[in-house]
Amino acid sequence: MDDFHNGLVEKIIKELDSALAKSPLTEFDIVPVESTKNKTPVLYVNSSVALESWCVKHVYNYCYGDLIEDFLTHPKRRLSRVSGLTYKRIMLLLNPTLLINPDVTTLWNKRRELMSKRYLDWVAEMTFTRLVLSRKTKCNDAFSYRRFVIEHVMRETPERPPHFVSTILEDEFDVCTMTADKCPNNYHSWDHRRWTLEFASKYRAEIDSTIVFYNEYKFIVNWTARHVSDYSCFHYRQHCLKKLNLLDERWPVFEKMLEADLRENVQKFIEASDPAQKTNKSFKKTIEDEDIIAYLFDYAPNDCSCYTKFYETCRKIEIYIYELIQNTDFLKFYKYHEALWYHRRFIVSEILTTMYDFFEIERVNGKLARKKLTPDQLETLQKCQKCGNRYCEVADKELDWVYNCPLYKILIQHEKAVVADRRKDMDRHAGRHENYLKCVHGLAAHY
Amino acid sequence: MVKIYALAVLYKGINSATLLKAAYNLQSFSIFQRGSVQEFMVFVSKTIVERTQQASRQSVKEGEYMLQVYVRADNLAAVLISDHEYPNRVAHTLITKILDDFTAVVPATQWPTGTEDRIDFHVLPEYLTKYQNPREADALTKIQNDLDETKIILHDTIKAVLERGEKLDDVVAKTESLSMQSKLFYKTARKTNSCCNF
């Protein structure tokens, strides 16, 4: 490249640098423009920055070339090392290069080096990666750099002000929502959101993680309702489901958030699947969990002291049936979306697992078997006479006996009805779902 | 995503179609591209109305976008641009309803000569927001049954709608309704195959 171009590029990157210093910036883009009129190619509108496309080639070649030549090929040379003298120059070259092409891990690693030597301000780094992600919404390097920065900051600031963690969480969720909205099936974005959720549970001492999980579940329920063919977000939904704190005393608050009466849902589900099974009692809030369990599992555990287990099983059944009903509804409304069917597989499999768990059995290599309990678990079981009895009772019977409980019958009834209904609509996934139940869950004999 | 990008009412003249009213939802595009995207949506709406016969409905799939078009026997037409998850049936019910509303508000004499500024019909932005959720529109479906009378013709790509031998690239190059900026934008998008209708 000749001197004229070099001078031009120097001017452009300095201008871009001063534009990047303005805050708050939210978006970066490259605008297709052909002419090279004598005016600046750096555009700045409403907190968004853009480069005109004609200069991109020159800027990128120049910056990338210089970076590699001066700072990356001879790491031992004194001038190539990151120091107070060189870091400004490195940043000046790094920013445009990464904005234009963020999929170069080497460059991100250089940034990591600068970060760990404390030359960079982490808030500015977060803003910068957000800019990168506003254009390249699927850039995994940018997401992973964000994670690096957050972990770095958490290490560096052992004494954190009160809202420190929650601000980070909000920011991360916000970036994920933005990237997921711009680009469907954005796996990296959902993966990052999942990481954020794990981050929230790691620092649960500093935030109210239960409420965070409740909020996230609520968020993803609304989101999946509008992205019915995006399996990445369904996967996140499954993750949220497992994170829900079922034992928290604020469960009623959660139900209110969902605007659903989960208990009533279960009752409706039972009645709709099989009118003959109509419960003579109504599952109002006043009814104890034990009675519901007694009905669904055909097992009356009166005066049992292991309340937690019933409580947990009951909440699980309630939430999964809520999921199941919603899924059926979507299948009928949106039709033919594979992602919905796959989510259904997950729900059904969770309900079955809950059922097996309750009876202390598990499926190993396609066969039902008694759960192998550790001595400790066995001891706790035997402490409660009723539970101990149940464990023994199950052991005495044929294991297939679990397929006779009302919950199972109702579930299968419901699945059959949905599959038949979808078949009428020429949905080829319906048959596959049936095969899945029969073969993968080994239900063929009890279908 | 279940999303509507644009709603437009057009009039199919003898040689060309004119835009009478439109509303857009371009939040997901970058601020620098919105102008071009909007211009493009108008251009595509016109092109497709010109190539749709009277009293017929079409659904055209192009990349991640769906174009729903309905031209009535009296030459009034509506276009809805959504993504592929938005249910076709609901979309067509919605544009039928829009045309009915439009007929009730704007007299037929204004249609052939009307322009966007002169037509007095302001509910499109409201519809655009309200029916982002197709379930809202589903309530309409239950009332309206005339949808079944005309069959919806489905196309997998816009090529099927263009006349034989006609290429979209040529149509874009020839048209005067797109600015230089938008044509360039179209070319780039075509190359990288993203963020554009085609």
Side-chain angles (χ1 to χ4, degrees):
Chain A
M1 232 189 306
D2 51 55
D3 287 345
F4 168 72
H5 271 117
N6 286 352
L8 189 70
V9 170
E10 276 295 333
K11 238 168 107 179
I12 294 173
I13 56 175
K14 281 200 179 114
E15 205 163 326
L16 184 65
D17 194 56
S18 60
L20 289 179
K22 289 176 195 164
S23 65
L25 291 177
T26 50
E27 244 182 299
F28 172 78
D29 202 4
I30 291 173
V31 183
V33 177
E34 233 158 33
S35 67
T36 49
K37 278 182 220 145
N38 195 12
K39 71 180 195 5
T40 169
V42 182
L43 309 171
Y44 178 76
V45 186
N46 285 353
S47 79
S48 304
V49 185
L51 275 180
E52 290 185 352
S53 61
W54 62 267
C55 74
V56 165
K57 192 177 141 198
H58 305 298
V59 171
Y60 185 77
N61 282 348
Y62 177 79
C63 294
Y64 183 79
D66 258 23
L67 266 176
I68 296 289
E69 180 66 26
D70 292 352
F71 302 106
L72 289 161
T73 26
H74 309 289
K76 295 235 168 89
R77 206 200 285 164
R78 194 164 57 85
L79 273 176
S80 326
R81 274 186 235 148
V82 176
S83 68
L85 286 173
T86 52
Y87 91 94
K88 280 209 169 120
R89 177 74 189 158
I90 297 178
M91 287 312 284
L92 190 68
L93 296 172
L94 256 182
N95 286 342
T97 327
L98 283 174
L99 279 174
I100 294 167
N101 176 17
D103 292 311
V104 188
T105 316
T106 316
L107 300 183
W108 286 106
N109 284 341
K110 195 77 189 163
R111 248 191 139 83
R112 285 194 173 91
E113 190 189 332
L114 285 163
M115 188 76 210
S116 42
K117 289 186 179 162
R118 300 198 181 90
Y119 284 112
L120 301 177
D121 168 38
W122 74 279
V123 179
E125 287 307 281
M126 294 313 240
T127 320
F128 177 77
T129 38
R130 184 191 277 266
L131 279 188
V132 169
L133 287 169
S134 74
R135 192 169 85 89
K136 293 274 188 194
T137 48
K138 282 184 164 183
C139 179
N140 186 39
D141 278 317
F143 281 119
S144 99
Y145 181 67
R146 275 185 94 88
R147 295 193 281 267
F148 167 82
V149 171
I150 292 173
E151 274 161 7
H152 176 79
V153 168
M154 295 309 280
R155 268 198 311 275
E156 295 280 298
T157 35
E159 275 166 33
R160 292 180 278 268
H163 293 295
F164 196 77
V165 177
S166 62
T167 322
I168 292 182
L169 282 180
E170 256 168 51
D171 207 34
E172 291 319 288
F173 286 143
D174 191 46
V175 165
C176 290
T177 313
M178 184 262 290
T179 46
D181 184 47
K182 282 193 176 194
C183 182
N185 303 320
N186 194 342
Y187 172 79
H188 297 300
S189 164
W190 291 106
D191 191 43
H192 186 69
R193 210 183 177 100
R194 209 159 47 243
W195 176 85
T196 314
L197 213 58
E198 290 302 325
F199 175 79
S201 45
K202 193 170 156 193
Y203 292 96
R204 69 165 72 81
E206 288 170 62
I207 44 156
D208 191 343
S209 62
T210 308
I211 292 295
V212 170
F213 296 151
Y214 285 171
N215 279 333
E216 276 304 285
Y217 183 72
K218 167 85 180 156
F219 161 84
I220 197 67
V221 165
N222 290 337
W223 185 276
T224 41
R226 300 198 48 207
H227 298 77
V228 284
S229 69
D230 184 348
Y231 193 72
S232 294
C233 63
F234 276 104
H235 184 217
Y236 181 71
R237 182 176 178 153
Q238 293 159 12
H239 196 74
C240 286
L241 260 173
K242 295 205 163 165
K243 279 272 168 202
L244 284 178
N245 187 350
L246 303 166
L247 300 176
D248 199 274
E249 75 272 12
R250 279 167 296 183
W251 187 260
V253 179
F254 174 62
E255 277 190 67
K256 241 183 221 137
M257 278 165 70
L258 287 181
E259 292 159 24
D261 187 337
L262 297 177
R263 182 70 62 88
E264 208 180 299
N265 242 350
V266 174
Q267 187 176 10
K268 275 187 199 152
F269 176 74
I270 295 171
E271 288 174 359
S273 287
D274 188 1
Q277 297 260 16
K278 205 159 195 153
T279 42
N280 37 15
K281 295 175 213 169
S282 62
F283 287 178
K284 284 277 142 44
K285 289 271 177 235
T286 44
I287 297 280
E288 294 295 318
D289 292 340
E290 289 157 28
D291 291 335
I292 293 170
I293 296 284
Y295 174 74
L296 285 176
F297 291 100
D298 200 13
Y299 185 84
N302 287 331
D303 311 322
C304 180
S305 53
C306 308
Y307 184 70
T308 336
K309 178 153 186 178
F310 294 132
Y311 187 82
E312 198 181 349
T313 313
C314 208
R315 294 294 84 78
K316 264 192 190 166
I317 300 268
E318 278 177 9
I319 193 81
Y320 286 127
I321 284 179
Y322 169 77
E323 287 269 327
L324 197 69
I325 292 173
Q326 205 188 36
N327 186 268
T328 313
D329 201 25
F330 282 159
L331 278 175
K332 287 185 179 164
F333 188 76
Y334 288 107
K335 300 179 177 165
Y336 323 125
H337 284 294
E338 210 171 6
L340 288 173
W341 283 105
Y342 286 153
H343 185 59
R344 192 177 192 84
R345 288 185 180 186
F346 166 81
I347 303 165
V348 172
S349 131
E350 283 303 311
I351 295 181
L352 288 175
T353 316
T354 314
M355 209 171 85
Y356 297 148
D357 266 351
F358 184 78
F359 291 121
E360 306 291 350
I361 46 182
E362 57 188 350
R363 269 189 97 225
V364 189
N365 298 329
K367 277 188 190 133
L368 290 181
R370 279 179 76 182
K371 243 188 205 168
K372 291 212 171 56
L373 298 179
T374 57
D376 282 356
Q377 282 171 319
L378 211 58
E379 200 183 324
T380 21
L381 260 184
Q382 275 156 359
K383 252 185 215 159
C384 167
Q385 213 186 2
K386 291 276 174 188
C387 285
N389 279 346
R390 182 162 49 98
Y391 186 67
C392 300
E393 261 176 49
V394 174
D396 291 342
K397 294 190 185 187
E398 287 286 316
L399 284 168
D400 289 352
W401 160 78
V402 294
Y403 295 128
N404 284 323
C405 76
L407 176 65
Y408 176 77
K409 283 184 183 156
I410 295 164
L411 179 68
I412 290 301
Q413 193 91 27
H414 185 75
E415 292 307 294
K416 271 185 186 163
V418 170
V419 167
D421 178 73
R422 294 292 82 210
R423 271 218 173 109
K424 253 188 267 160
D425 221 352
M426 307 289 286
D427 195 336
R428 64 203 161 87
H429 303 298
R432 291 187 193 165
H433 185 67
E434 197 176 70
N435 285 343
Y436 166 78
L437 292 177
K438 283 183 183 168
C439 304
V440 178
H441 284 288
L443 303 180
H446 311 276
Y447 193 71
Chain B
M1 246 175 285
V2 182
K3 198 184 227 170
I4 309 179
Y5 292 102
L7 281 176
V9 179
L10 299 98
Y11 181 76
K12 183 178 156 80
I14 303 161
N15 292 321
S16 65
T18 45
L19 184 71
L20 298 181
K21 207 77 196 175
Y24 313 92
N25 167 27
L26 304 173
Q27 284 303 314
S28 52
F29 297 96
S30 116
I31 195 165
F32 301 98
Q33 292 177 351
R34 278 177 209 162
S36 296
V37 172
Q38 181 174 331
E39 241 178 64
F40 227 86
M41 286 186 169
V42 173
F43 164 73
V44 166
S45 306
K46 280 184 187 165
T47 315
I48 204 148
V49 166
E50 283 161 14
R51 282 157 183 75
T52 307
Q53 289 194 339
Q54 286 159 333
S56 68
R57 296 172 184 281
Q58 297 200 81
S59 294
V60 184
K61 190 176 175 208
E62 185 65 37
E64 50 190 297
Y65 300 89
M66 271 315 270
L67 286 142
Q68 318 279 1
V69 58
Y70 175 35
V71 181
R72 286 202 320 205
D74 58 3
N75 278 329
L76 194 65
V79 175
L80 181 149
I81 303 178
S82 67
D83 54 24
H84 70 278
E85 285 175 13
Y86 202 88
N88 288 357
R89 198 175 45 92
V90 178
H92 277 284
T93 319
L94 181 57
I95 53 181
T96 313
K97 182 182 157 51
I98 288 172
L99 288 186
D100 288 347
D101 288 5
F102 191 83
T103 320
V105 176
V106 185
T109 46
Q110 284 190 20
W111 299 350
T113 52
T115 57
E116 262 202 282
D117 330 320
R118 279 189 294 164
I119 299 279
D120 205 21
F121 183 66
H122 298 293
V123 290
L124 282 185
E126 191 192 312
Y127 278 176
L128 189 69
T129 345
K130 185 172 176 196
Y131 294 112
Q132 289 296 342
N133 180 0
R135 308 210 138 215
E136 290 278 347
D138 200 40
L140 294 173
T141 343
K142 281 169 191 130
I143 313 161
Q144 289 204 334
N145 295 317
D146 60 326
L147 195 62
D148 306 323
E149 289 163 24
T150 31
K151 206 166 172 267
I152 305 172
I153 309 166
L154 262 167
H155 293 294
D156 261 354
T157 143
I158 197 138
K159 280 194 202 101
V161 185
L162 298 175
E163 279 148 36
R164 261 183 123 179
E166 203 179 20
K167 271 193 193 145
L168 190 69
D169 289 10
D170 300 340
V171 182
V172 171
K174 258 192 291 179
T175 183
E176 283 160 12
S177 61
L178 288 174
S179 62
M180 271 310 290
Q181 169 85 34
S182 298
K183 285 185 186 177
L184 200 62
F185 166 77
Y186 166 77
K187 268 198 223 156
T188 336
R190 178 121 237 192
K191 240 192 273 172
T192 51
N193 195 20
S194 67
C195 38
C196 182
N197 300 41
F198 308 102

